[in-house]
């Protein structure tokens, strides 16, 4: 699928359906600190460029300064991941549905092997933002999300590099995917599946009542917006 | 009456009285009287954004990793350091700035914890890089300290030392314990001389010998963008 989840999100988003947080029923009724997101609010199923999480991604993925150090690796990553720079925010909306495949370039397998070797080399320079630019880091995420072994190594490197060097929304989405593969529950609510009747379902999730706190920290849309964007069935 | 009770009963009575006299009372720190949305009054946040938050029907201490910035100490660090260490605050500030990767909040009610037990309940809520909850102890005026912490991204309990701004691994408890987010757990340490023991939910984790006895302030510890709630901070000072 060349049209990535971003495009899908935008397409669905403009349907402008309104959803109300299911999490509200789970909550005790006592309000959290005013500094925390309120998952009880009604959320419009629309992605707006003025949304805080979109603006945050727009800033992170801004490539106007051209401030990365390894152009050749970046070019190879973009070709392997089937990406063209610059990317338009939101780049990562935190909706990954099983079976909806991204279209990679013909060099994807070879570059996956190269990244595996890089990850296994102690002290090697991992392709982070300052090395391959924002689009290059998203290419790393896409390649890591199609290979469990690379995913595990990449997640460790991305977490180690920190939010200035690795896009937090990609890190969160990759962690969710890997956790489910390890038999654990996802943390952010980014992973969906299509059931036998063809309906989109959220996969098993841990502590959904604090999902918005985690998602805000990672620069993902509010939980209920993510649910809506995924097109889940009620 | 003494004759009627018999010597064995008297002995038990005296022994229990003696034990009660020797057993120090546990000090439990509650956040009930604190103001939600503000920094705690009982702890001095030195690094990170520590606020009182509401969880269910309780006030808890929340380290909010969403606003974590690399190398940025908590607001008002100079005033807090002066409150804790008086004239010796400058050395502490310099060291704390070097530690700004690791949020800490120092309990104001004790200056020199040497022997006894410290425990805290915690609930991890999130963190893209880290999900850490720890007990801070042996905090010196120069900013050096020790911490025993649980890391939810690694599922382990580890003792770390921080000296002159450098973090060093000391000892990892052999048992991996995966904990779910949004659930409460208790981390506890016991220090007697150079003996350090730790427990996670009453399961033994560490039984370790420190290089020297402990002496310093205590508190709670976290890491980078962790979002963790703390409650029921307790300590017992033993002679």
């Amino acid at each position: 699928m060349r049209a990535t989840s971003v495009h899908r999100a935008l397409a669905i988003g403009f349907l402008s359906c309104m959803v109300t947080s299911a999490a509200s029923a789970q909550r005790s009724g006592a309000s959290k600190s005013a500094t925390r997101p309120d998952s009880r609010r009604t959320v419009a199923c629309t992605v707006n460029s003025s949304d805080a999480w979109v603006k945050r991604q727009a800033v992170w993925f801004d490539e106007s300064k051209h401030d990365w150090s390894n152009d050749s690796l970046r070019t190879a990553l973009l070709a392997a991941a089937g990406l063209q720079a610059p990317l338009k925010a939101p780049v990562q909306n935190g909706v990954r549905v099983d079976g909806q495949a991204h279209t990679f370039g013909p060099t994807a397998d070879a570059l996956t092997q190269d990244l595996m070797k890089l990850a296994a080399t102690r002290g090697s320079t991992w392709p982070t933002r300052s090395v391959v630019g924002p689009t290059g880091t998203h290419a790393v995420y896409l390649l890591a999300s199609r290979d469990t072994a690379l995913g595990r190594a990449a997640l460790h490197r991305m977490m180690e590099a920190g939010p200035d060097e690795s896009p937090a929304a990609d890190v969160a989405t990759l962690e969710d995917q890997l956790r489910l593969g390890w038999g654990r529950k996802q943390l952010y609510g980014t992973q969906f599946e299509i059931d036998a009747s063809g309906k989109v379902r959220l996969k098993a999730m841990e502590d959904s009542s604090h999902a918005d706190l985690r998602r805000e920290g990672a620069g993902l849309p509010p939980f209920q917006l993510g649910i809506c964007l995924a097109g889940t069935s009620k | 009456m003494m004759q009627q009770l018999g010597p064995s009963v008297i002995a038990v009575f005296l022994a229990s009285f003696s034990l009660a006299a020797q057993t120090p009372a546990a000090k439990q720190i509650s956040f009930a009287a604190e103001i939600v949305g503000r920094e705690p009054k009982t702890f001095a946040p030195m690094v990170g954004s520590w606020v009182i938050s509401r969880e269910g029907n309780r006030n808890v201490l929340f380290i909010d990793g969403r606003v974590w910035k690399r190398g940025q100490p908590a607001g008002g660090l100079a005033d807090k350091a002066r409150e804790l260490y008086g004239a010796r605050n400058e050395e502490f500030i310099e060291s704390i700035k070097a530690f700004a990767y690791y949020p800490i909040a120092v309990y104001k009610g004790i200056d020199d914890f040497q022997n006894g037990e410290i425990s805290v309940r915690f609930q991890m809520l999130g963190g893209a890089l880290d999900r850490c909850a720890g007990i801070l102890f042996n905090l010196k005026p120069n900013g050096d300290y020790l911490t025993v912490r649980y890391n939810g991204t690694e599922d382990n309990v580890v003792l770390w030392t921080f000296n002159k701004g450098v973090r060093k691994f000391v000892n990892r408890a052999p048992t991996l314990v995966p904990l779910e987010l949004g659930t409460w757990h208790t981390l506890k340490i016991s220090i007697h001389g150079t003996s350090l023991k730790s427990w996670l939910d009453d399961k033994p984790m560490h039984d370790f010998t420190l290089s020297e006895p402990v002496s310093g302030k205590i508190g709670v510890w976290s890491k980078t963008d962790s979002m963790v709630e703390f409650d029921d901070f307790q300590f017992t000072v033993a002679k």
Side-chain angles (χ1 to χ4, degrees):
Chain A
M1 189 186 81
R2 185 63 186 85
T4 64
S5 53
V6 179
H7 302 111
R8 174 183 166 76
L10 291 170
I12 298 170
F14 286 113
L15 294 173
S16 296
C17 67
M18 301 291 285
V19 292
T20 305
S21 170
S24 62
Q26 301 169 6
R27 296 171 64 93
S28 62
S31 64
K32 298 270 185 187
S33 160
T35 61
R36 297 194 184 184
D38 185 354
S39 60
R40 291 170 299 183
R41 68 190 171 196
T42 300
V43 179
C45 194
T46 310
V47 175
N48 296 308
S49 58
S50 59
D51 291 344
W53 68 279
V54 180
K55 287 201 280 190
R56 182 174 159 187
Q57 288 195 21
V59 169
W60 204 94
F61 283 95
D62 176 24
E63 301 203 313
S64 58
K65 289 183 182 172
H66 200 97
D67 53 354
W68 53 87
S69 60
N70 193 334
D71 248 328
S72 58
L73 178 56
R74 170 190 161 88
T75 303
L77 283 166
L78 266 58
L83 290 178
Q84 283 189 323
L87 299 174
K88 188 176 184 307
V91 174
Q92 178 59 266
N93 67 355
V95 175
R96 185 179 178 280
V97 184
D98 281 356
Q100 294 186 344
H102 173 85
T103 302
F104 290 88
T107 55
D109 288 343
L111 207 62
T112 296
Q113 292 307 311
D114 290 346
L115 288 173
M116 282 295 294
K117 286 177 195 164
L118 194 65
T121 307
R122 184 181 285 267
S124 61
T125 302
W126 187 251
T128 58
R129 190 182 192 284
S130 60
V131 179
V132 293
T135 307
T137 63
H138 189 60
V140 171
Y141 155 76
L142 288 170
L143 292 165
S145 66
R146 69 192 278 273
D147 184 289
T148 305
L150 176 61
R152 183 189 290 257
L155 180 65
H156 177 72
R157 289 294 196 117
M158 291 164 84
M159 291 175 94
E160 199 174 56
D164 293 339
E165 287 291 316
S166 298
D170 281 349
V171 174
T173 307
L174 181 59
E175 183 177 15
D176 268 0
Q177 182 188 344
L178 292 170
R179 283 177 68 94
L180 288 162
W182 299 332
R184 298 179 75 167
K185 295 174 185 170
Q186 60 175 318
L187 303 178
Y188 297 90
T190 62
Q191 307 295 307
F192 298 83
E193 61 190 349
I194 300 173
D195 67 16
S197 63
K199 293 177 179 172
V200 178
R201 300 283 185 200
L202 179 71
K203 291 188 177 181
M205 185 176 176
E206 196 170 298
D207 184 31
S208 60
S209 61
H210 295 106
D212 275 340
L213 197 65
R214 289 191 284 280
R215 293 174 67 97
E216 184 181 301
L220 289 167
F223 186 36
Q224 288 309 309
L225 177 55
I227 295 280
C228 185
L229 294 176
T232 56
S233 303
K234 298 288 177 189
Chain B
M1 183 179 174
M2 289 291 187
Q3 286 174 339
Q4 289 172 343
L5 289 173
S8 61
V9 175
I10 294 169
V12 168
F13 173 77
L14 290 174
S16 62
F17 180 79
S18 172
L19 190 65
Q22 287 175 1
T23 304
K27 173 94 173 174
Q28 181 171 357
I29 313 305
S30 165
F31 300 108
E34 303 262 17
I35 301 171
V36 172
R38 299 264 184 89
E39 283 194 349
K41 291 177 180 170
T42 45
F43 285 76
M46 310 308 286
V47 177
S49 175
W50 298 82
V51 292
I52 299 299
S53 183
R54 194 79 177 155
E55 180 70 34
N57 59 356
R58 294 178 67 94
N59 284 359
V60 296
L61 178 58
F62 177 50
I63 174 64
D64 187 354
R66 289 172 301 170
V67 290
W68 172 77
K69 297 279 185 199
R70 189 186 298 268
Q72 192 176 71
L77 174 62
D79 289 339
K80 291 167 186 167
R82 201 172 297 118
E83 184 182 348
L84 289 177
Y85 290 114
R88 302 180 67 184
N89 71 81
E90 286 187 9
E91 186 182 12
F92 182 79
I93 289 171
E94 288 307 310
S95 189
I96 285 299
K97 282 181 177 174
F99 292 164
Y101 202 65
Y102 308 98
I104 59 171
V106 182
Y107 175 59
K108 295 178 181 176
I110 185 167
D111 288 331
D112 188 9
F113 178 92
Q114 296 181 358
N115 294 294
E117 296 180 345
I118 309 170
S119 69
V120 69
R121 292 176 69 234
F122 68 93
Q123 171 176 242
M124 298 176 296
L125 301 184
L129 308 177
D130 287 293
R131 295 180 280 273
C132 286
I135 295 172
L136 167 79
F137 60 104
N138 202 37
L139 177 63
K140 307 289 189 185
N142 69 358
D144 289 356
Y145 64 81
L146 292 166
T147 181
V148 169
R149 65 94 180 108
Y150 175 80
N151 187 335
T153 61
E154 299 172 358
D155 304 330
N156 59 21
V157 178
V158 171
L159 168 66
W160 291 94
T161 180
F162 290 75
N163 288 306
K164 297 180 173 58
V166 178
R167 181 179 75 144
K168 281 188 180 166
F169 167 85
V170 181
N171 187 262
R172 177 184 294 112
T175 313
L176 291 179
V177 187
L179 300 179
E180 286 208 0
L181 301 194
T183 57
W184 284 96
H185 303 275
T186 301
L187 185 64
K188 177 180 164 183
I189 63 171
S190 161
I191 298 162
H192 293 281
T194 56
S195 166
L196 169 74
K197 294 181 180 177
S198 73
W199 294 263
L200 180 63
D201 293 334
D202 294 326
K203 293 175 192 158
M205 291 285 132
H206 283 105
D207 188 350
F208 183 76
T209 303
L210 298 164
S211 58
E212 58 186 8
V214 162
S215 173
K217 289 182 175 292
I218 61 177
V220 285
W221 182 97
S222 191
K223 189 180 174 192
T224 64
D225 70 339
S226 300
M227 289 179 266
V228 179
E229 291 176 337
F230 292 88
D231 197 8
D232 290 333
F233 184 83
Q234 293 186 45
F235 65 94
T236 305
V237 176
K239 296 295 179 188

